[in-house]
């Protein structure tokens, strides 16, 4: 394998592996910016991955819809499922003034249990779905994909990856350039002040939690119908927590979270293609696998330092309190 | 005071009942008979002495994991890294147990001690980073989990390897197995670890509730700014809490290796015990005695669920759903409290 091929493999892997993290971390950013902590991203991704796999199989293989259409319906289902499953967390953290960390943990347990329960129910007791036939395929853009290195490395990717980058832009625009974004951030920093000037704290927080559920759902969907082609207990395995880490690493900013997710993606790409690239001849594969996590700790200790969460994050808001 | 103490017990109990109801409804909805389902779970836990013994064996590491999470929680830290600290404890115990030679009994004690130190220091990394550099413990502990997993695999493969994909077996002198206990439970793998777990719950309760150290740790968790103002060293307490949390997780890992398996397997994924510990601590309201209750509930239900799937074909995950509902209602204690308040008011009216 020559150097150019290596570079293409690594660049392409970076984009693909970071996609689910970008999407879920974006959900986390919107959530926490509105003052709600969501440890449940992992569970929401699980539900998304499950819904995407099942709906893609159902629409493509059972209903016989065109093969290209099925994964799109799958990803929409993942988004809706994520939004629906985020509601109990919203109710607990906003109306019931529950401990948000605890509620998020409950969501993780529930989602994993529910998804696997349904898989066993739908696929005759098997621990995983059948193989999804109509998974997303990498998009070839005419002319652009022919550009050396950048074309096959960065532009020959799944449609969900394009979606992720578009959503980063949209989230940035929404948070920093629209009145709604201003309200959302105000609610996360100082809900009392926001309330005083007439912002409906409850409504904004509900919207933020549901929105983040949708994003995490899509992120999970990319795991089961783009990166792999089925859903099982290990499909999500920690991606939600990694997204949480990316959000904090990225200092609660959409672009920052994206950067952190790309960093994790790069490290994963190096580890996964270590064999192909011949790296395992020099370094044990376990070291390559541990590298992304080690680098993250070092980066946080050395570069980022103190990360400040939105001031009201994790605190329930009661009208009339200070 | 009286009511709040009652609520501390009533809230989890009602949450469990609500969890069973919701889980039962879901089973019904999916075409399973919940009475048959829960009956076989009950059978799987209490059916015979072997099942009881194995349930208690499964509960043992959960008590340690729950204590570890709860201890950190009390100081305001969310230790997601119990999983990794558990792995470090397993690894240290596997090493000392198989490669050191010491007299029977002492060998096990030393293995546990080394596991405590190793896992404590490992958690201490996250504590130190938080205290010194303000790096969020949630990220560092997640990262440390993966590093522990891959690191342990590498260490076993390179230095500790025995038969196929597992570490060399520990020497009999380091074993925590007790023949009389095992015989009592018809050959179940229940071992001294359970008694250690109960002992450490007591120690944790005493440390948290009866000592100055415990008071400081709780104060820092309750309000770091006020604690700082009151002259407490917040950074030191954060570091200390993580250290103790890791030590507790480490003993759990050690008892697992020394008491149950006798070696440590190279593993593609996590044991899950550290993450279950989060649920256990939450059900137990972060109280050391509550943790025992949480571990019994969690471990019992999960263990009994295997029987349900085997015998009745109802997916084990229905029990995970029950547990999640329990956690949800423990978090949303408002609902339960509201319900209790309403009940009391009605009683008050009827007494008039």
């Amino acid at each position: 394998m020559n150097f150019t091929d290596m570079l293409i493999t690594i660049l392409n892997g970076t984009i693909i592996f970071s996609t689910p993290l970008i999407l879920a971390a974006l959900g986390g950013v919107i959530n926490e910016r509105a003052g709600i902590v969501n440890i449940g991203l992992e569970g929401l991704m699980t539900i998304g991955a499950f819904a995407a796999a099942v709906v893609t199989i159902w629409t493509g293989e059972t209903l016989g819809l065109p093969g290209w259409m099925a994964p799109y319906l799958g990803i929409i289902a993942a988004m809706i499922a994520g939004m629906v499953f985020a509601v109990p967390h919203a109710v607990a953290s906003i109306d019931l003034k529950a401990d948000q960390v605890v509620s998020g943990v409950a969501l993780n347990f529930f989602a994993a249990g529910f998804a696997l329960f349904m898989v066993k129910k739908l696929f005759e007791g098997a621990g995983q779905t059948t193989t999804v036939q109509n998974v997303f395929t990498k998009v070839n853009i005419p002319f652009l994909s022919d550009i050396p290195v950048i074309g096959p490395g960065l532009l020959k990717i799944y449609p969900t990856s394009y979606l992720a980058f578009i959503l980063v832009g949209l989230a940035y625009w929404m948070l920093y350039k629209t009145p709604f974004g201003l309200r959302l951030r105000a609610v996360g920093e100082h809900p009392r002040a926001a309330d005083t000037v007439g912002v409906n704290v409850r409504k904004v927080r509900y919207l933020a939690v549901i929105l983040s559920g949708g994003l995490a759902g899509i992120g999970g969907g990319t795991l089961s119908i783009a990166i792999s082609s089925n859903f099982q207990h290990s499909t999500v395995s920690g991606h939600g927590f990694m997204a949480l880490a990316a959000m904090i690493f990225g200092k609660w900013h959409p672009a920052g979270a994206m950067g952190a997710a790309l960093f994790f993606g790069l490290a994963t790409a190096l580890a996964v293609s270590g064999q192909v690239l011949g790296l395992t001849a020099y370094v044990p594969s376990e070291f390559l696998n541990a590298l992304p996590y080690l680098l993250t700790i070092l980066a946080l200790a050395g570069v980022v330092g103190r990360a400040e969460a939105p001031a009201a994050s994790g605190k329930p808001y009661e009208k009339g309190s200070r | 005071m009286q009511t709040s103490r009652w609520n501390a017990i009533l809230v989890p109990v009602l949450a469990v009942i609500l969890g069973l109801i919701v889980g039962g409804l879901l089973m019904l909805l999916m075409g399973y008979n919940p009475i048959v389902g829960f009956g076989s779970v009950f059978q799987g836990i209490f059916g015979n002495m072997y099942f009881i013994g194995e349930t208690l064996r499964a509960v043992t590491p959960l008590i340690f994991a729950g204590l570890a999470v709860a201890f950190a929680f009390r100081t305001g830290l969310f230790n997601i890294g119990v999983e990794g600290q558990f792995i470090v404890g397993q690894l240290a115990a596997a090493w000392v147990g198989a490669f050191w030679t010491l007299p029977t009994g002492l060998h096990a004690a030393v293995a546990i001690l080394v596991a405590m130190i190793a896992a404590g220091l490992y958690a201490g990394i996250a504590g130190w980073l938080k205290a010194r550099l303000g790096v969020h413990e949630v990220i560092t502990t997640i990262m440390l989990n993966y590093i522990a997993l891959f690191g342990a695999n590498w260490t076993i493969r390179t230095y500790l390897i025995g038969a196929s994909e597992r570490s060399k077996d520990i020497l009999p002198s380091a074993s925590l197995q007790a023949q009389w206990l095992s015989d009592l439970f018809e050959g179940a793998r229940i071992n001294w670890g359970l008694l250690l777990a109960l002992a450490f719950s007591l120690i944790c309760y005493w440390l948290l509730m009866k000592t100055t150290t415990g008071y400081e740790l709780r104060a820092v968790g309750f309000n770091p700014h006020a604690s700082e103002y009151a002259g407490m060293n917040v950074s030191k307490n954060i570091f200390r809490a993580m250290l103790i949390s890791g030590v507790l997780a480490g003993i759990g890992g050690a008892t697992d290796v020394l008491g149950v398996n006798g070696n440590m397997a190279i593993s593609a994924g996590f044991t899950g015990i550290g993450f279950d510990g989060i649920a256990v601590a939450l059900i137990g309201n972060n109280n050391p005695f509550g943790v025992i209750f949480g571990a019994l509930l969690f471990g019992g239900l999960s263990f009994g669920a295997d029987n349900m799937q085997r015998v009745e074909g109802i997916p084990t995950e229905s029990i995970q759903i029950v547990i999640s509902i329990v956690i949800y209602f423990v978090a949303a204690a408002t609902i339960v409290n509201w319900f209790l308040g309403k009940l009391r008011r009605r009683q008050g009216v009827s007494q008039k």
Side-chain angles (χ1 to χ4, degrees):
Chain A
M1 190 180 249
N2 64 37
F3 179 72
T4 322
D5 288 345
M6 260 192 197
L7 201 62
I8 291 169
T9 308
I10 292 170
L11 286 177
N12 201 254
T14 303
I15 304 281
I16 285 161
F17 292 124
S18 61
T19 299
L21 296 176
I22 292 176
L23 288 160
L26 217 47
V29 168
I30 292 176
N31 227 301
E32 294 220 356
R33 280 290 181 171
I36 305 288
V37 169
N38 198 347
I39 301 281
L41 287 182
E42 174 90 2
L44 294 167
M45 287 184 90
T46 307
I47 284 295
F50 160 75
V54 168
V55 169
T56 308
I57 291 171
W58 179 61
T59 53
E61 286 143 50
T62 314
L63 294 184
L65 291 179
W68 67 267
M69 203 193 261
Y72 284 95
L73 293 172
I75 216 75
I76 292 170
M79 182 185 76
I80 295 171
M83 291 167 107
V84 170
F85 277 79
V87 170
H89 181 61
V91 174
S93 1
I94 299 162
D95 283 332
L96 301 178
K97 325 274 181 228
D99 187 315
Q100 296 168 14
V101 171
V102 183
S103 162
V105 171
L107 181 57
N108 285 339
F109 270 92
F110 184 81
F114 182 77
L116 282 169
F117 181 90
M118 291 308 286
V119 165
K120 283 184 181 170
K121 181 75 193 161
L122 295 172
F123 296 88
E124 275 100 39
Q128 55 186 59
T129 66
T130 50
T131 307
V132 183
Q133 303 298 332
N134 302 299
V135 288
F136 276 116
T137 45
K138 291 185 184 173
V139 179
N140 245 336
I141 306 170
F143 307 115
L144 286 178
S145 297
D146 297 333
I147 303 169
V149 185
I150 297 172
L154 298 178
L155 296 171
K156 206 185 162 196
I157 49 180
Y158 299 111
T160 43
S161 297
Y162 288 109
L163 180 67
F165 290 112
I166 294 169
L167 286 173
V168 170
L170 271 177
Y172 173 78
W173 173 77
M174 190 270 282
L175 279 174
Y176 295 97
K177 306 286 173 198
T178 66
F180 177 72
L182 183 64
R183 289 193 195 112
L184 191 147
R185 286 181 291 130
V187 159
E189 288 294 338
H190 203 316
R192 177 82 197 135
D195 194 3
T196 314
V197 295
V199 176
N200 187 334
V201 175
R202 184 169 171 269
K203 204 166 115 192
V204 169
R205 286 190 164 177
Y206 259 96
L207 273 169
V209 174
I210 291 170
L211 215 55
S212 92
L215 285 165
I218 300 175
T222 66
L223 286 169
S224 62
I225 58 171
I227 294 177
S228 66
S229 56
N230 73 357
F231 173 79
Q232 56 182 349
H233 76 96
S234 63
T235 299
V236 176
S237 65
H239 276 88
F241 289 116
M242 292 298 288
L244 218 54
M247 171 195 76
I248 300 172
F249 199 172
K251 296 199 162 179
W252 290 267
H253 189 283
M258 179 186 71
L262 282 169
F263 173 74
F264 290 148
L266 169 66
T268 312
L270 282 175
V272 169
S273 43
Q275 198 96 43
V276 185
L277 305 175
L279 288 174
T280 39
Y282 308 99
V283 196
S285 63
E286 286 93 350
F287 282 30
L288 282 177
N289 283 323
L291 192 66
Y293 310 108
L294 192 65
L295 285 177
T296 305
I297 292 182
L298 292 177
L300 282 169
V303 185
V304 182
R306 269 173 214 282
E308 282 293 333
S313 193
K315 296 190 192 93
Y317 172 65
E318 275 173 84
K319 252 189 180 321
S321 72
R322 290 199 307 136
Chain B
M1 183 68 211
Q2 203 63 22
T3 32
S4 77
R5 183 168 286 179
W6 261 111
N7 277 8
I9 298 167
L10 269 175
V11 166
V13 168
L14 276 175
V16 170
I17 294 170
L18 281 168
L20 290 173
I21 291 173
V22 175
L25 283 176
L26 190 87
M27 282 191 210
L28 205 60
L29 213 66
M30 291 295 147
Y32 301 114
N33 184 340
I35 297 179
V36 172
F38 287 130
S40 63
V41 171
F42 193 79
Q43 266 290 313
I45 303 171
F46 301 106
N48 54 40
M49 285 305 270
Y50 175 78
F51 279 162
I52 296 177
E54 277 293 300
T55 304
L56 291 173
R57 189 268 309 159
V59 165
T60 306
L62 289 175
I63 296 179
F64 284 111
L67 287 175
V69 176
F71 210 99
F73 246 134
R74 278 295 174 111
T75 314
L77 297 165
F78 190 32
N79 182 5
I80 307 187
V82 172
E83 184 70 38
Q85 293 139 27
F86 189 87
I87 291 173
V88 169
Q90 282 182 311
L91 187 69
W95 172 53
V96 176
F99 291 86
W100 293 25
T101 31
L102 285 165
T104 306
L106 182 69
H107 195 173
V110 171
I112 292 172
L113 193 70
V114 175
M116 285 166 84
I117 295 168
L121 290 176
Y122 197 67
I125 298 172
W128 186 82
L129 285 169
K130 166 93 177 189
R132 265 303 154 88
L133 301 169
V135 184
H136 209 300
E137 82 278 7
V138 167
I139 315 189
T140 45
T141 53
I142 292 170
M143 301 299 146
L144 287 168
N145 281 342
Y146 288 96
I147 297 172
L149 176 68
F150 296 121
N153 281 348
W154 179 77
T155 312
I156 297 171
R157 201 187 304 282
T158 318
Y159 298 107
L160 309 181
I161 197 77
S164 71
E165 298 290 291
R166 32 187 82 246
S167 73
K168 215 173 122 193
D169 281 334
I170 58 157
L171 298 168
S173 53
S175 177
L176 279 179
Q177 275 165 3
Q179 198 57 49
W180 63 271
L181 206 56
S182 207
D183 289 343
L184 196 65
F185 291 95
E186 297 170 5
R189 292 168 294 169
I190 182 172
N191 58 73
W192 286 110
L194 179 67
L195 298 171
L196 268 177
L198 297 177
F200 271 95
S201 306
L202 263 173
I203 295 172
C204 281
Y205 181 82
W206 170 78
L207 189 63
L208 265 179
M209 303 300 182
K210 306 285 174 200
T211 65
T212 322
T213 312
Y215 177 78
E216 276 193 25
L217 290 170
R218 285 185 293 135
V220 168
F222 196 68
N223 190 339
H225 301 295
S227 309
E228 183 100 66
Y229 188 69
M232 294 173 198
N233 187 335
V234 173
S235 298
K236 198 175 99 188
N237 277 300
I238 285 173
F239 179 64
R240 206 188 312 182
M242 281 305 281
L243 211 65
I244 298 172
S245 182
V247 162
L248 291 163
I251 313 169
T255 62
D256 193 54
V257 165
L258 304 175
V260 185
N261 296 320
N263 56 44
M264 187 182 177
I266 292 173
S267 170
F270 291 119
T271 64
I273 288 167
F275 301 115
D276 294 346
I278 299 172
V280 168
L282 296 176
I283 295 173
N285 204 15
N286 298 319
N287 174 304
F289 294 133
V291 163
I292 298 179
F293 169 77
L296 281 171
L297 182 81
F298 191 106
L301 285 177
S302 322
F303 187 77
D306 290 340
N307 187 56
M308 177 179 68
Q309 180 159 322
R310 209 167 42 236
V311 180
E312 304 296 338
I314 305 174
T316 47
E317 282 74 21
S318 36
I319 289 305
Q320 197 176 344
I321 292 171
V322 171
I323 291 167
S324 71
I325 304 283
V326 175
I327 303 172
Y328 187 80
F329 282 120
V330 167
T334 329
I335 305 183
V336 181
N337 279 328
W338 169 83
F339 180 72
L340 284 175
K342 203 153 188 184
L343 212 67
R344 277 211 192 86
R345 227 171 301 135
R346 187 169 298 167
Q347 270 176 353
V349 171
S350 65
Q351 270 164 11
K352 246 182 228 168

